[in-house]
Amino acid sequence: MTILDHRALNRATLARQFLLARADTPTPEAVAHLCGMQAQEPQEPFIGLWSRLAGFAPGHLDDALTGRAVVRTHLMRRTVHLMTADDALAWRARHDAMLRQRVLGTYRSELSGLDVEEVAAAGRAVMADGQARTLRELAEALTDRWPDPPLRVLGELLVAALVPTVQLPPRGLWQRKAGVRNLSMAVWLGRDVEPLPSGDDDPVGQRLLRRYLAAHGPAASADLRAWCGLAGLPAAVKACRDELVVFRDERGRELFDLPDAPRPDPDTPAPVRFLPAFDNVVLGHHDRSRIIDAPHLGLSVAGHRMVLVDGRVTATWTVRDRLLRVSPLRPLTRAEREAVRAEAQDLAVFLDEGIEDVRFDAAH
């Protein structure tokens, strides 16, 4: 069986993430291909799309959000993601049990004894009027019946687990600061969430698996589970197994992939790319060694913006006091430094924050 080393896996993932070469793809199609983009920090997806798409302009994502082609919603791992409307409606029911388990597990004592089906029905009734509400306003509408849970907890149970909702614009629009206003996904999109089909072979899980591999493969079942928060999708993997190719990584793990997905030569050059906080190219696997070294794994969950050099996380970056500062994690060669500076200068123009210079900190 073919063994794929870290560099082979790195180049395959970068190619599928549009990070080897910027793609000439419309924004909604890119969001769909990427299986959504982590978006709890509202401005970060703009940076992720700029690094992936040729000619990307902030208005492209603004138009997709206001035009309801793309939505902000809780989905994978109970995290706010940018999703296409079609994917949000098609995938939400498959995530329902996980979303409930995670909220109820987090707030076990605060929500003890609550009949979640009654709360869900009451929440849907409140939202049926089409009025956008903050999390607190939603919870306050239910306090007559459930006065004990803290408002924050009751509201989070509603919007992150029980009722499929979206966060409405202007939240998430370019250079706009706006609080979260929630509306039923069905009301905003004019379509109901798709019900789970019957059958034991998990057809929605099969689609999730194929789409995940197209964006993140080759990958192990543990990687799939880490990305979506679901329990490995064993029925889906079993149903799809005959149509997939199988590799091993250097640890001996079994990796699945789509037969025709790109797996570039490991020596393919990888350009410098600036990543936003919480980018799924780093967070989308259980074993992240294909893109980030073990000593730096904490950066990927702490919200640091990162820089890829030769396809690997090699620096972090910040914008402060009109400076774009790059903090290398190892010494950079002169050629690497020049390439990082050139990409940083282009990014500074895109960000349009009055950045006057690019500075490098000492490697650490």
Side-chain angles (χ1 to χ4, degrees), residues 16 41 45 53 68 78 81 108 185 201 209 221 226 240 252 263-264 280 282 290 298 306-307 328 354:
R16 300 174 204 200
E41 296 293 338
L53 300 182
R68 311 188 191 197
R78 195 169 68 88
H81 274 70
R108 185 172 289 107
M185 187 182 293
D201 57 352
L209 170 61
S221 294
C240 292
R263 289 180 288 274
N280 272 351
V282 181
R290 68 181 67 193
M306 292 173 277
V307 185

Side-chain angles (χ1 to χ4, degrees), residues 21 26 42 64-65 75 81 189 196 213 215 303 313:
L65 283 163
L75 202 63
H81 274 70
L189 296 178
L196 279 178
L213 292 175
V313 173

Side-chain angles (χ1 to χ4, degrees), residues 16-65:
R16 300 174 204 200
Q17 287 282 313
F18 302 151
L19 291 168
L20 275 187
R22 285 182 167 94
D24 186 15
T25 302
T27 294
E29 292 180 19
V31 173
H33 171 79
L34 296 168
C35 299
M37 303 181 72
Q38 202 155 325
Q40 66 265 49
E41 296 293 338
Q43 295 297 301
E44 298 303 294
F46 289 93
I47 300 164
L49 289 167
W50 175 81
S51 288
R52 288 171 163 90
L53 300 182
F56 174 74
H60 299 162
L61 180 53
D62 281 358
D63 290 346
L65 283 163

Side-chain angles (χ1 to χ4, degrees), residues 66-88:
T66 58
R68 311 188 191 197
V70 168
V71 297
R72 294 172 48 84
T73 188
H74 290 86
L75 202 63
M76 282 76 76
R77 307 183 307 280
R78 195 169 68 88
T79 304
V80 177
H81 274 70
L82 277 185
M83 304 295 303
T84 64
D86 288 343
D87 284 345

Side-chain angles (χ1 to χ4, degrees), residues 64-133:
L65 283 163
T66 58
R68 311 188 191 197
V70 168
V71 297
R72 294 172 48 84
T73 188
H74 290 86
L75 202 63
M76 282 76 76
R77 307 183 307 280
R78 195 169 68 88
T79 304
V80 177
H81 274 70
L82 277 185
M83 304 295 303
T84 64
D86 288 343
D87 284 345
L89 293 166
W91 295 359
R92 170 58 199 240
R94 187 62 180 81
H95 287 76
D96 270 351
M98 177 273 293
L99 293 171
R100 292 187 179 203
Q101 289 167 1
R102 292 203 171 197
V103 175
L104 292 171
T106 300
Y107 302 113
R108 185 172 289 107
S109 61
E110 294 93 335
L111 297 172
S112 177
L114 218 63
D115 186 322
V116 294
E117 295 305 331
E118 287 188 13
V119 177
R124 286 192 293 269
V126 169
M127 293 184 181
D129 64 2
Q131 174 91 22
R133 291 176 172 88

Side-chain angles (χ1 to χ4, degrees), residues 319-325 353-357:
V319 175
R320 190 178 301 117
D321 300 327
R322 296 186 178 275
L323 295 176
L324 194 161
R325 303 195 74 95
E353 296 178 11
I355 296 169
E356 295 174 351
D357 198 8

Side-chain angles (χ1 to χ4, degrees), residues 137-347:
E137 289 168 345
L138 284 169
E140 286 176 340
L142 304 186
T143 51
D144 286 349
R145 294 180 61 183
W146 294 282
D148 295 330
L151 289 176
R152 173 75 193 179
V153 173
L154 188 58
E156 188 169 336
L157 176 65
L158 282 171
V159 304
L162 299 185
V163 182
T165 59
V166 298
Q167 297 182 354
L168 296 191
R171 180 77 169 175
L173 298 184
W174 178 242
Q175 296 182 343
R176 296 282 297 274
K177 292 184 178 180
V180 177
R181 293 161 54 250
N182 304 282
L183 189 66
S184 159
M185 187 182 293
V187 170
W188 179 245
L189 296 178
R191 291 181 282 163
D192 290 329
V193 169
E194 297 176 18
L196 279 178
S198 59
D200 297 329
D201 57 352
D202 192 4
V204 179
Q206 291 183 47
R207 293 199 293 273
L208 279 168
L209 170 61
R210 295 185 189 100
R211 293 279 299 280
Y212 172 74
L213 292 175
H216 291 276
S221 294
D223 297 318
L224 173 67
R225 181 168 60 248
W227 165 70
C228 64
L230 303 175
L233 305 177
V237 172
K238 181 179 179 181
C240 292
R241 192 178 182 96
D242 288 346
E243 70 184 64
L244 302 176
V245 292
V246 182
F247 303 98
R248 297 275 181 188
D249 66 11
E250 292 174 300
R251 294 166 47 195
R253 294 191 316 157
E254 190 175 54
L255 305 178
F256 301 104
D257 205 8
L258 303 173
D260 299 327
R263 289 180 288 274
D265 187 306
D267 292 328
T268 302
V272 169
R273 290 291 184 256
F274 280 70
L275 298 180
F278 305 113
D279 195 287
N280 272 351
V281 74
V282 181
L283 295 178
H285 299 87
H286 178 261
D287 181 356
R288 298 169 184 167
S289 59
R290 68 181 67 193
I291 200 162
I292 187 169
D293 294 334
H296 307 313
L297 281 173
L299 299 174
S300 63
V301 294
H304 290 274
R305 293 164 159 178
M306 292 173 277
V307 185
L308 299 182
V309 178
D310 192 28
R312 299 192 65 79
V313 173
T314 304
T316 61
W317 65 280
T318 59
V319 175
R320 190 178 301 117
D321 300 327
R322 296 186 178 275
L323 295 176
L324 194 161
R325 303 195 74 95
V326 177
S327 300
L329 302 172
R330 63 163 174 79
L332 301 177
T333 67
R334 177 176 294 182
E336 289 173 338
R337 194 180 180 96
E338 291 175 353
V340 170
R341 180 181 293 279
E343 186 75 357
Q345 289 170 337
D346 288 346
L347 175 61

